[in-house]
């Protein structure tokens, strides 16, 4: 099998691919439609393609739908540093401005939702709305990991990611088999199908991606007791001023619904929390029609 390369990220579709420079790095985006900006931010171990269903539906509903590759993923730059939540949030808000927009609704999943929670707290003028998928507010997650043994047990894989270089090798060996195994563990039944899993397995093998994808998880753990992490936690006490839709799968095998519940404590605007039945950690892909209906109704 030939080695993957970033060109495989440019999946054909009705969208347009381009590179946009923001916050000192170059980001790959796929965009479709015209209207108010809705920016989609993927999680681990995905890339922009995770939002393929929503790009089409949201554009048809009268919005400018843009899905990005986070730094380190897909066809975006893979610099050696910048995988802390604040830098990643600056990437996202910088991209909004680089796209020529004053503000956007952010739709984030997993790691992307962690970043979006951060961006909404730090840049309230840029984030006019937030949809957080499969990720509690960062302070809520911090509390759950300290007090809920069940959540701590489910998050054990993150501790394994702290080792140098070994986790990267595990992610890419056997054609990225670990990526598929993690996704099946975290998702509800019968997902992903073989072609979907194959695409994500190929994407993680693009040179540099596995290492960069793990760096966020390393920062999240190592910063807990460091001055930068303590400052971040203190900053995240600031209530979010934008409306929030918070969606979580009942069968999420990575983050318990009870871990996500209570995140509204950090929102001073309308906050809606919904648990979606029959799906796990990837509701936007496991049940795209149900997820998209929730999203469009909230956007409207």
């Amino acid at each position: 099998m030939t080695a993957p390369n970033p060109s495989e990220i440019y999946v054909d579709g009705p969208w347009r691919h381009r590179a946009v420079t923001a916050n000192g790095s170059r980001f790959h985006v796929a965009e479709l439609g015209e209207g108010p900006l809705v920016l989609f931010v993927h999680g681990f171990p995905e890339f922009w393609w995770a939002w393929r269903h929503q790009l089409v539906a949201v554009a048809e509903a009268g919005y400018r739908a843009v899905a990005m590759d986070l730094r380190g993923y897909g066809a975006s730059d893979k610099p050696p540093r910048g995988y802390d939540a604040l830098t990643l949030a600056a990437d996202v808000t910088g991209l909004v401005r680089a796209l020529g927009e004053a503000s956007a609704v952010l739709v984030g999943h997993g790691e992307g939702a962690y970043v979006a929670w951060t961006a909404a707290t730090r840049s309230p003028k840029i984030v006019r709305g937030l949809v957080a998928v499969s990720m509690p507010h960062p302070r809520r997650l911090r509390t759950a990991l300290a007090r809920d043994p069940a959540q701590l047990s489910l998050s054990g894989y993150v501790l394994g990611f702290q080792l140098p270089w070994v986790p990267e090798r595990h992610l890419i060996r056997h054609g990225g088999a670990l990526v598929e195994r993690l996704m099946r563990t975290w998702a509800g039944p019968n997902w992903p199908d073989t072609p979907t899993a194959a695409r994500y397995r190929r994407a993680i093998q693009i040179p540099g991606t596995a290492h960069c994808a793990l760096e966020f998880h390393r920062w999240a753990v190592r910063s807990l007791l460091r001055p930068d992490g303590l400052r971040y936690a203190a900053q995240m006490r600031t209530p979010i001023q934008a409306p929030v839709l918070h969606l979580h799968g009942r069968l999420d095998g990575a983050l318990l619904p009870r871990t996500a519940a209570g995140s509204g404590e950090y929102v001073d605007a309308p906050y809606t929390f919904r648990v979606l039945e029959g799906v796990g950690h990837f509701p936007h892909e496991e049940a795209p029609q149900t997820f998209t209906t929730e999203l469009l109704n909230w956007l409207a």
Side-chain angles (χ1 to χ4, degrees):
M1 183 181 293
T2 59
N5 63 75
S7 67
E8 296 187 30
I9 297 302
Y10 294 86
V11 182
D12 288 338
W15 40 73
R16 177 171 68 111
H17 295 280
R18 66 186 179 111
V20 181
T21 299
N23 200 30
S25 292
R26 187 182 63 172
F27 298 92
H28 165 251
V29 303
E31 62 178 337
L32 184 65
E34 296 181 357
L37 176 61
V38 179
L39 179 59
F40 294 90
V41 191
H42 67 85
F44 173 84
E46 300 185 305
F47 63 103
W48 76 268
W49 186 73
W51 302 108
R52 60 199 177 280
H53 305 291
Q54 289 74 39
L55 277 177
V56 175
V58 169
E60 289 177 348
Y63 299 90
R64 182 185 182 188
V66 178
M68 70 179 294
D69 285 332
L70 283 166
R71 76 164 58 204
Y73 286 88
S76 289
D77 281 352
K78 298 169 179 59
R81 297 179 182 83
Y83 298 95
D84 60 281
L86 290 174
T87 301
L88 292 169
D91 289 345
V92 171
T93 54
L95 182 62
V96 172
R97 292 291 176 85
L99 289 168
E101 303 285 354
S103 65
V105 170
L106 301 184
V107 183
H109 167 256
E111 175 187 342
Y114 195 104
V115 172
W117 281 114
T118 305
T121 303
R122 296 279 291 168
S123 303
K125 292 183 179 179
I126 297 178
V127 181
R128 69 172 183 273
L130 168 64
V131 182
V133 186
S134 306
M135 178 58 68
H137 186 278
R139 287 196 62 89
R140 177 66 186 152
L141 177 59
R142 187 185 183 99
T143 299
L145 291 173
R147 299 179 181 176
D148 189 338
Q151 182 57 67
L152 183 61
S153 176
L154 286 179
S155 302
Y157 70 94
V158 179
L159 296 179
F161 287 167
Q162 303 307 304
L163 296 171
W165 300 115
V166 173
E168 285 90 332
R169 293 169 184 159
H170 287 170
L171 273 179
I172 63 176
R173 72 180 180 183
H174 305 308
L178 178 57
V179 164
E180 181 173 353
R181 189 157 67 247
L182 287 172
M183 297 183 96
R184 292 192 185 282
T185 298
W186 298 339
N190 305 316
W191 193 88
D193 58 45
T194 300
T196 299
R199 194 174 292 281
Y200 289 125
R201 290 175 63 163
R202 292 284 288 173
I204 203 69
Q205 296 176 74
I206 293 172
T209 300
H211 174 70
C212 295
L214 295 177
E215 285 293 270
F216 168 78
H217 297 87
R218 289 168 175 152
W219 169 84
V221 172
R222 296 173 186 177
S223 67
L224 284 175
L225 299 178
R226 292 192 321 218
D228 63 319
L230 295 174
R231 285 194 300 271
Y232 170 76
Q235 292 169 358
M236 291 303 292
R237 289 195 181 99
T238 303
I240 290 172
Q241 303 301 316
V244 175
L245 173 64
H246 194 181
L247 301 175
H248 207 92
R250 176 74 70 186
L251 306 179
D252 193 322
L255 291 160
L256 296 168
R258 68 174 181 249
T259 299
S263 295
E265 174 185 353
Y266 301 99
V267 182
D268 270 359
Y271 170 81
T272 303
F273 178 59
R274 296 195 189 283
V275 176
L276 304 180
E277 302 295 335
V279 296
H281 189 62
F282 306 91
H284 53 303
E285 294 205 75
E286 296 177 54
Q289 188 170 15
T290 299
F291 177 90
T292 303
T293 297
E294 291 279 356
L295 173 60
L296 290 177
N297 287 343
W298 183 82
L299 286 172

